[in-house]
Amino acid sequence: MKNEWKGMLDHLPDAIIITDKLGAVRAFNNNTLQLLGYEAERLIDRSLCQFLNKVSATEIMNRLLNTLEGVSQIPVEHHELEIIRKDGKIVPVQTGIVPFISQGIPYVCFALRDISVFREQILRLKDENLQLKNTLSRSKENNERLTDFNEIISHNLRGPVTNLQLLLNLYNYESEPNKKEFLMEKFDKVVSGLNHTLDVLVESVQFKRSPEKNKSLDLKEILERTQNLLIAQIDSSDCIIESDFSKVRWVAYNQIYMESIFLNLIGNAIKYRSENRRLLIEIKSWKDKEHLMLSFKDNGLGIDLDKHQKDIFGFKKVFHNHPDAKGIGLFMTKTQIESQGGSIKVKSEPGQGCCFIISLN
């Protein structure tokens, strides 16, 4: 049988193996010897399954039986299998299975094509695709970071600029030299604070620092800078700011975010103060188990949580009729805190003020 088919099989471009219905090798061509690495005498009469891994062998035997059942219809099936060479190397092959009958005896012809290079190309394409996805992911993160900076700049610089405008108006209408000098000192404090904020933002952009980059921060210094930035609003509202950082004064946190939290929550307390009493803002820090805690409490207008609990940190959600209300500050504050693994909640009643409690991760 082998000699009868050999001349024809050697002219075919693929490795060709012919087996009987039990899978025993009855004929093959020279390409088969090159593919498997065996000598001719080592192949004849051996089971084809001996040259396949366990999974491929089981699949081949199942396909062999199914194919022979429909031999009269001469179906052609294609599969990907893995053969084991004589040197132990596993080679992926694409297999075409064709049943036929010769002299009344059923046989199966296997055409084996090495697809190692094709597999390598697929793996390389997958790797390149993964790298592309990672690049796109980094680009998305960078875009989100730039959007984050843009929100901080557009929202958080509004307060200091308003203070500068207020101080400038007072300075222009003031005639007494001593009072003008006093206003200029406050003007200088706001400008210094504004320069610091811009320096931090520019430094973050220049060095491509991630928003998750933390550093050791002095809460007392953060508060002092915030007061300098809002000095005109603090003076005009005659508010009192009390702080207690005796339990926790230093925290490892993102500087831009921490300054943004102080600026937003203190600025909101001033913006939504009650006209019936002097504004008091109390800021405290402490440690609760493994979490650092911050609270900002005021005696302002308060918020009706029965109505607005779900929207309290929503984007562009406002709860009082105020000309400067944008509904962005609390949304941005919550987003920044949660991006660092923390959380924020609020306790409030109408006319009783608000208390924002922050858990820093």
Side-chain angles (χ1 to χ4, degrees):
M1 190 77 65
K2 172 184 174 183
N3 293 329
E4 178 183 342
W5 291 329
K6 182 171 176 51
M8 177 186 65
L9 299 182
D10 283 341
H11 286 86
L12 297 177
D14 297 324
I16 304 295
I17 298 178
I18 295 176
T19 73
D20 60 21
K21 63 181 181 180
L22 298 178
V25 176
R26 295 307 180 195
F28 49 84
N29 63 0
N30 289 330
N31 288 335
T32 301
L33 300 178
Q34 295 178 9
L35 178 65
L36 296 179
Y38 283 95
E39 299 78 9
E41 57 271 16
R42 295 288 303 277
L43 295 182
I44 198 68
D45 294 334
R46 291 183 64 179
S47 172
L48 178 61
C49 292
Q50 296 181 24
F51 308 108
L52 303 172
N53 64 20
K54 186 175 181 180
V55 175
S56 296
T58 301
E59 182 177 350
I60 277 294
M61 290 308 298
N62 291 335
R63 295 294 180 183
L64 193 63
L65 295 174
N66 293 336
T67 300
L68 288 173
E69 288 179 1
V71 68
S72 60
Q73 301 176 14
I74 313 183
V76 178
E77 296 191 8
H78 297 277
H79 308 280
E80 287 190 9
L81 304 171
E82 290 184 341
I83 64 170
I84 304 175
R85 287 173 45 88
K86 181 181 179 181
D87 58 12
K89 181 181 178 181
I90 297 177
V91 179
V93 296
Q94 187 178 55
T95 305
I97 304 176
V98 182
F100 67 97
I101 295 177
S102 177
Q103 299 179 1
I105 302 174
Y107 295 94
V108 178
C109 177
F110 293 88
L112 309 178
R113 178 171 296 176
D114 186 347
I115 58 172
S116 299
V117 175
F118 176 74
R119 282 274 186 91
E120 291 174 359
Q121 291 174 342
I122 292 295
L123 291 175
R124 185 167 61 253
L125 287 174
K126 286 183 177 180
D127 182 62
E128 291 174 354
N129 185 52
L130 179 60
Q131 292 180 17
L132 179 59
K133 286 183 177 180
N134 291 335
T135 300
L136 291 175
S137 177
R138 286 193 296 269
S139 297
K140 182 180 178 181
E141 291 176 0
N142 288 335
N143 288 336
E144 291 175 348
R145 188 179 308 164
L146 290 174
T147 299
D148 192 28
F149 285 142
N150 180 61
E151 289 177 350
I152 292 175
I153 292 172
S154 61
H155 184 271
N156 289 10
L157 298 188
R158 188 180 297 115
V161 170
T162 299
N163 273 265
L164 289 175
Q165 291 174 335
L166 179 59
L167 288 171
L168 184 60
N169 290 335
L170 292 173
Y171 182 86
N172 289 334
Y173 283 100
E174 185 58 60
S175 59
E176 295 184 19
N178 290 338
K179 290 184 178 180
K180 290 177 76 74
E181 184 178 353
F182 177 71
L183 288 172
M184 184 54 66
E185 291 176 357
K186 292 191 174 184
F187 195 92
D188 183 65
K189 288 184 178 180
V190 177
V191 171
S192 296
L194 193 55
N195 281 333
H196 167 78
T197 300
L198 290 173
D199 286 343
V200 173
L201 288 170
V202 170
E203 182 183 4
S204 298
V205 173
Q206 286 178 340
F207 291 94
K208 300 180 180 180
R209 290 184 176 179
S210 167
E212 289 77 24
K213 185 72 174 180
N214 297 333
K215 62 187 298 186
S216 183
L217 303 176
D218 184 348
L219 295 178
K220 186 177 179 180
E221 288 185 3
I222 298 290
L223 176 57
E224 289 176 354
R225 280 199 291 267
T226 304
Q227 288 175 301
N228 288 335
L229 286 171
L230 300 176
I231 191 168
Q233 290 174 267
I234 292 173
D235 287 352
S236 62
S237 64
D238 193 32
C239 78
I240 302 172
I241 299 179
E242 296 180 353
S243 62
D244 181 5
F245 301 134
S246 59
K247 295 181 179 178
V248 176
R249 178 169 170 175
W250 294 84
V251 298
Y253 210 71
N254 176 269
Q255 183 173 352
I256 297 175
Y257 285 1
M258 182 59 72
E259 292 181 354
S260 176
I261 291 168
F262 271 70
L263 190 62
N264 275 316
L265 294 182
I266 294 176
N268 274 2
I270 296 174
K271 185 185 302 181
Y272 302 114
R273 62 187 182 275
S274 172
E275 299 297 332
N276 300 323
R277 53 188 171 272
R278 188 179 184 185
L279 176 61
L280 172 63
I281 303 174
E282 299 176 274
I283 307 171
K284 295 182 180 180
S285 61
W286 69 97
K287 191 171 184 178
D288 181 19
K289 296 181 180 179
E290 295 183 357
H291 295 278
L292 299 179
M293 309 295 293
L294 269 177
S295 68
F296 293 77
K297 182 180 179 181
D298 65 69
N299 61 347
L301 296 175
I303 301 172
D304 188 346
L305 296 182
D306 291 335
K307 293 182 180 180
H308 305 298
Q309 180 71 59
K310 293 182 179 180
D311 297 327
I312 190 69
F313 296 106
F315 183 63
K316 290 189 176 181
K317 298 294 183 180
V318 296
F319 315 105
H320 299 288
N321 294 323
H322 193 285
D324 293 331
K326 304 295 182 181
I328 298 176
L330 289 181
F331 169 80
M332 189 166 63
T333 297
K334 182 174 185 290
T335 300
Q336 292 167 345
I337 292 171
E338 291 182 346
S339 73
Q340 301 287 289
S343 63
I344 181 172
K345 61 182 180 179
V346 60
K347 296 180 180 179
S348 183
E349 292 183 17
Q352 301 299 314
C354 293
C355 182
F356 291 93
I357 301 173
I358 302 170
S359 175
L360 305 176
N361 187 25

